Amino acid sequence: MGTDYERLAARDEELASMVQRWRRRMDPNAIPGLHRGPSRRKRELSKSEVAGLTGVSVKWYGKLENGEVAQFSDQFLDRLAYALRLSDAERIGLYHKATGRAPAPRGPEPDAMAAMDADMQRLLDKVLPDPAYISDLAWNVVAHNNPSREMYPWVYQPNIMRWAFLFPEAREQLVNWKESWAHPFLAQIRTAAAQYPENDQLKSLVKDILEGCPEAQELWDRHDFYEHPDGDIRKMRIPHGGAKEVPVRIMALAPLRNKQLRFIVAFHGV
């Protein structure tokens, strides 16, 4: 009985309340490929759906939503922040309430940020209405135009490759995930790692993916190389599109001021 009392006393009601509120405000239709049957009555994510999107059991996710003290990993908290589309400030708040500290900083290379300016952003915006973004050598998102947040909600999570391999939602959004997306993605990473063997962010990216994604090691062992997806046509599921598969032509460019940057434009429905 004493153990139950201590567990109940350790609950953080504020943490429980804010996580529940974030889940209930999230529209399930914004999750690409999320299976929704005719029996759904509430326009909110269920606990089981959030657990699936974050790669944990309903029981483990329930600990957080109940405000219980537990060893929540950074990986789980980042996946939750993405699944619930938390703002940067909300993500920081989640970390502080769940772990007592701020999230570890991780972002673009300094030279990538230095290459960005108002003109580069203006160029991104000129591509409207097609979604476009710029990523650095390690696939950190440096900048994007507004449609990217709707079509590519993973800009909420600032690294494209970590999202693709470590976030369960990616497998729903990227059609034929393993062969059409994961395989060429890893071949691109291998090519970049061979070109820049001393880059710490690339080393960390490879380590995180191979440790966190069981299928990645198998694909990595194929030893394939691929420089860029310029002109590739692949299929995606998009937010508010249900299970519909949309063909996407990927166009890749590099600004002369910094050729390590990738300027990606996606044309849908081609």
Side-chain angles (χ1 to χ4, degrees):
M1 182 179 294
T3 301
D4 289 340
Y5 175 79
E6 291 173 0
R7 179 174 60 81
L8 290 171
R11 286 183 177 175
D12 187 327
E13 296 297 338
E14 184 178 355
L15 173 63
S17 177
M18 67 186 198
V19 174
Q20 291 171 25
R21 177 170 55 84
W22 289 335
R23 172 176 63 81
R24 288 167 179 160
R25 78 179 182 189
M26 185 64 197
D27 181 359
N29 291 299
I31 307 296
L34 187 66
H35 300 295
R36 292 173 291 276
S39 61
R40 176 184 288 275
R41 296 180 180 179
K42 293 184 178 180
R43 193 182 174 99
E44 64 183 41
L45 289 177
S46 67
K47 290 182 181 180
S48 61
E49 286 170 335
V50 175
L53 291 169
T54 53
V56 299
S57 68
V58 177
K59 182 178 180 179
W60 182 252
Y61 169 70
K63 287 180 178 291
L64 182 69
E65 194 161 305
N66 289 335
E68 295 182 27
V69 175
Q71 295 297 316
F72 300 113
S73 69
D74 289 8
Q75 293 81 5
F76 165 65
L77 293 177
D78 282 343
R79 290 195 296 266
L80 179 65
Y82 170 71
L84 300 182
R85 307 299 192 256
L86 301 188
S87 67
D88 291 341
E90 289 170 336
R91 176 172 173 263
I92 292 172
L94 172 65
Y95 262 82
H96 274 290
K97 294 300 294 182
T99 68
R101 58 175 173 79
R106 175 181 283 166
E109 299 277 8
D111 61 340
M113 294 303 297
M116 282 302 301
D117 56 24
D119 289 334
M120 289 289 284
Q121 185 63 54
R122 190 175 298 114
L123 183 59
L124 278 170
D125 294 336
K126 287 288 186 183
V127 181
L128 296 174
D130 294 301
Y133 66 89
I134 295 175
S135 65
D136 68 7
L137 181 62
W139 283 275
N140 297 301
V141 177
V142 177
H144 60 83
N145 62 8
N146 284 336
S148 291
R149 281 225 171 212
E150 180 179 350
M151 304 295 288
Y152 301 148
W154 39 255
V155 299
Y156 282 88
Q157 202 290 328
N159 186 279
I160 297 166
M161 294 304 185
R162 284 188 175 87
W163 169 79
F165 287 95
L166 305 179
F167 286 61
E169 188 174 324
R171 298 171 186 245
E172 291 295 331
Q173 182 164 9
L174 306 179
V175 177
N176 191 24
W177 173 84
K178 184 175 181 179
E179 294 300 330
S180 295
W181 295 89
H183 180 210
F185 275 170
L186 275 178
Q188 283 182 263
I189 294 172
R190 180 183 289 279
T191 301
Q195 290 176 305
Y196 303 96
E198 302 304 318
N199 185 279
D200 289 336
Q201 290 209 21
L202 279 173
K203 291 179 183 178
S204 176
L205 181 65
V206 172
K207 178 176 180 293
D208 289 350
I209 289 174
L210 295 185
E211 289 181 353
C213 177
E215 297 94 333
Q217 186 65 60
E218 173 200 338
L219 295 171
W220 187 257
D221 289 342
R222 295 185 189 182
H223 301 286
D224 291 330
F225 291 82
Y226 190 51
E227 189 170 8
H228 55 70
D230 189 30
D232 284 8
I233 298 178
R234 303 175 191 174
K235 291 183 178 181
M236 297 176 60
R237 298 183 184 92
I238 61 176
H240 303 281
K244 181 180 179 181
E245 299 178 3
V246 178
V248 179
R249 183 182 296 275
I250 303 168
M251 304 301 295
L253 306 90
L256 291 178
R257 69 180 65 177
N258 186 339
K259 293 185 180 180
Q260 292 182 7
L261 295 180
R262 306 177 185 88
F263 191 115
I264 306 296
V265 183
F267 300 99
H268 291 75
V270 295

